């Protein structure tokens, strides 16, 4: 976070008059929210980095458009545009992930130091139709939400029809229920010993949220318990792989948060750390051995995101003169072509 602000300040020294850095707010902990502005045109482009604290690549990405804009006046003067780059939306959460940001980049290190706030403390709302990103559409804007994976799994691009769809869904749901039961037993042993431990409430909130969500997901994915009025859409083999990864990811994130709670207490009277270590190691090994998960270099992630930002800029200008798009679930939602991350 400090490096981002320093790099932004360096841009101002390099290009005085064309670049401004201003504080547009503060986080819950009082950390400044910095907005870097380039150009003075009427069209406003807003690039927001770090809405999810555990996805720090936005910070590595956000200054790349700045370099490109400064190098090409067609993107400012020529486009009558001002670029507004919010360096990090959740600096408090980002600092809590610093335990794995310096590497080495392994799944085990990541999840043992993972943090994302509880749902009520996240700086964005996640319901698709009423999301933070959808809100500006009423003003005729275009929003591009850019997700660059930190680990890649080739099987998620398999578009073939799955064999035994319902059986796979039952297995995924059953595994998630089993994981939740194991984590709930550990939490019941840990919770009585957390009084007075620093940051207990901040770490317990996402643990409780995850455990609650897991049960709903397991029921929604299981063909035997799913709501018949809300059936799952057609699923490819790649979709089923993604669901399997998503279910296990919530479980291992929860285990990592519990691990941090016990470490933060400075003692382990309930003796759960060895069990948590076994679970985290086994689940991470499953990602690598069963799914073939591989780390994608930060430079590759950042370059992908920066290119999507550039690609979205021109359509956004054309969209300004068009009516606002339909809401999620309507026929014209998501009808534009996807921008794939090649071979990732």
């Amino acid at each position: 976070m400090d490096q981002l602000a320093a790099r932004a300040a360096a841009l101002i020294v390099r290009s005085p008059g064309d670049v401004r850095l201003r504080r547009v707010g503060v986080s819950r902990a009082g950390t400044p929210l910095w907005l870097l502005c380039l150009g003075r045109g009427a069209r406003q482009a807003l690039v927001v980095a770090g809405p999810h604290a555990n996805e720090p690549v936005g910070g590595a990405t956000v200054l790349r458009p700045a370099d490109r804009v400064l190098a090409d006046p067609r993107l400012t003067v020529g486009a009558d545009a001002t670029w507004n780059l919010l360096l990090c939306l959740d600096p408090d959460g980002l600092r809590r992930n610093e335990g794995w940001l310096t590497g080495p980049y392994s799944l085990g290190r990541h999840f043992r130091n993972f943090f994302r706030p509880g749902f009520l403390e996240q700086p964005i709302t996640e319901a698709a139709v009423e999301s933070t990103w959808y809100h500006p559409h009423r003003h005729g804007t275009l929003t591009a939400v850019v997700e660059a994976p930190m680990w890649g799994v080739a099987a998620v691009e398999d578009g073939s029809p799955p064999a035994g769809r319902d059986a796979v869904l039952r297995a995924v749901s059953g595994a998630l229920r089993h994981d939740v039961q194991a984590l709930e037993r550990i939490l019941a042993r840990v919770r009585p010993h957390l009084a007075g431990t620093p940051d207990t409430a901040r770490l317990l909130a996402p643990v409780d949220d995850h455990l609650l969500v897991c049960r709903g997901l397991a029921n929604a994915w299981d063909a035997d318990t799913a709501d018949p009025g809300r059936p799952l859409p057609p699923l490819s083999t790649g979709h089923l792989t993604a669901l399997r990864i998503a279910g296990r990811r919530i479980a291992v994130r929860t285990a990592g948060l519990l691990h941090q709670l016990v470490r933060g207490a400075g003692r382990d009277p309930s003796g759960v750390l060895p069990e948590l270590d076994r679970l985290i190691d086994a689940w991470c090994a499953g990602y690598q051995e069963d799914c073939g998960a591989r780390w994608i270099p930060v430079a590759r992630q950042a370059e992908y995101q920066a290119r999507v930002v550039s690609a979205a800029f021109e359509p956004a200008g054309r969209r300004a003169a068009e009516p606002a798009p339909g809401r999620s679930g309507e026929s014209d939602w998501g009808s534009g072509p996807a921008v794939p991350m090649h071979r990732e």
Side-chain angles (χ1 to χ4, degrees), residues 280-293:
I280 293 171
D281 289 343
W283 290 341
C284 290
Y287 271 137
Q288 293 175 308
E289 295 169 7
D290 300 338
C291 300

Side-chain angles (χ1 to χ4, degrees), residues 20 52 77 89 100 111 133 153 264 317:
R20 291 90 62 203
H52 288 159
V77 177
L89 186 58
W100 68 269
F111 286 117
W133 313 126
V153 174

Side-chain angles (χ1 to χ4, degrees), residues 1-303:
M1 189 60 224
D2 296 332
Q3 293 175 354
L4 275 176
R7 289 176 58 199
L11 283 178
I12 296 175
V13 173
R14 194 178 80 195
S15 304
D18 294 329
V19 186
R20 291 90 62 203
L21 183 66
R22 61 191 182 95
R23 192 173 80 167
V24 293
V26 295
S27 68
R28 285 186 176 88
T31 304
L33 302 179
W34 294 108
L35 185 72
L36 185 69
C37 302
L38 304 94
R40 300 182 183 276
R43 293 174 58 195
Q44 301 293 321
L46 174 63
V47 181
V48 179
H52 288 159
N54 61 298
E55 299 170 359
V57 70
T61 301
V62 70
L63 294 182
R64 290 196 179 206
D67 290 331
R68 293 177 180 178
V69 167
L70 289 174
D72 188 352
R74 292 175 300 177
L75 297 174
T76 51
V77 177
D80 188 25
T82 300
W83 289 74
N84 305 279
L85 311 178
L86 187 62
L87 302 187
C88 183
L89 186 58
D90 186 5
D92 301 341
L94 177 60
R95 290 195 188 279
R96 289 176 176 271
N97 282 276
E98 288 180 346
W100 68 269
L101 288 179
T102 56
Y105 298 116
S106 67
L107 286 167
R109 182 180 176 88
H110 169 77
F111 286 117
R112 284 180 175 86
N113 295 279
F114 160 90
F115 178 78
R116 186 188 287 192
F119 296 147
L120 294 179
E121 289 194 358
Q122 293 190 23
I124 62 171
T125 55
E126 301 201 311
V129 176
E130 298 297 340
S131 73
T132 303
W133 313 126
Y134 189 87
H135 179 79
H137 284 210
R138 68 192 65 186
H139 305 293
T141 66
L142 180 147
T143 298
V145 179
V146 189
E147 296 277 5
M150 290 185 286
W151 277 273
V153 174
V156 299
E157 68 176 349
D158 186 348
S160 65
R165 168 188 180 272
D166 288 353
V168 173
L169 288 171
R170 289 187 187 97
V172 170
S173 299
L176 183 55
R177 293 188 184 103
H178 179 271
D179 294 346
V180 168
Q181 291 170 359
L183 292 167
E184 287 178 335
R185 287 193 296 268
I186 293 174
L187 177 59
R189 292 160 56 191
V190 169
R191 199 186 289 268
H193 303 287
L194 295 177
T197 301
D199 288 339
T200 293
R202 188 62 55 82
L203 290 169
L204 270 180
V207 168
D208 289 332
D209 287 345
H210 291 173
L211 293 176
L212 179 64
V213 165
C214 282
R215 292 195 175 278
L217 289 176
N219 290 335
W221 295 345
D222 190 333
D224 296 328
T225 58
D227 181 353
R230 302 181 66 182
L232 291 173
L235 298 174
S236 66
T237 300
H239 288 134
L240 293 180
T241 300
L243 286 181
R244 177 186 174 194
I245 291 172
R248 183 50 56 80
R249 181 177 60 205
I250 300 175
V252 71
R253 284 177 173 179
T254 307
L257 290 165
L258 287 169
H259 202 282
Q260 292 177 60
L261 274 167
V262 178
R263 297 198 320 261
R267 57 195 181 93
D268 183 17
S270 53
V272 300
L273 274 181
E275 185 174 356
L276 285 169
D277 279 324
R278 284 194 299 272
L279 287 174
I280 293 171
D281 289 343
W283 290 341
C284 290
Y287 271 137
Q288 293 175 308
E289 295 169 7
D290 300 338
C291 300
R294 67 198 184 284
W295 172 253
I296 298 174
V298 172
R300 175 74 179 98
Q301 299 176 47
E303 181 61 19

